[in-house]
Amino acid sequence: MNIQIFGMSKSFDTKKAERWFKERRIKYQYIDLLSKGVSPGEYRSIRAAVGYDKLVNKDCLAYKELGMDYLLPQAAEEKLLEYPELFRAPIVRNGKQATAGYCPEVWEKWE
């Protein structure tokens, strides 16, 4: 397994995901979404696995401030890459598989 956790240091779900993998002694790579973001290639891979709607945090303040509901799909995806705080954290990847949010029931199937 090659686990990557894209998360935010202040996100409780990110901390829970890290704890979940540590308790099972599964090694993972942590990537800070706010400082590193997600590359366009990684984004396309994650979007293919998860879907755009599950990937975006529509409850965050930045979503409303940027008027994401009113943007065309391509413009919304560009804003998503520009403002990583719009992602639902954590994003957990295992190769081509991915989840957005805290999803231990899915991660168990990866083992």
Side-chain angles (χ1 to χ4, degrees), residues 4-6 33 38 46 55 87-93 98-101:
Q4 291 180 313
I5 299 176
F6 294 85
L33 267 175
V38 176
I46 294 166
L55 199 53
F87 284 107
R88 177 170 289 139
I91 299 168
V92 181
R93 272 184 61 187
T99 61

Side-chain angles (χ1 to χ4, degrees), residues 43-56 77 80 87-88 98-100:
Y43 169 71
R44 284 190 295 276
S45 173
I46 294 166
R47 187 190 66 209
V50 176
Y52 177 81
D53 290 332
K54 290 184 181 175
L55 199 53
V56 179
E77 289 186 355
L80 193 59
F87 284 107
R88 177 170 289 139
T99 61

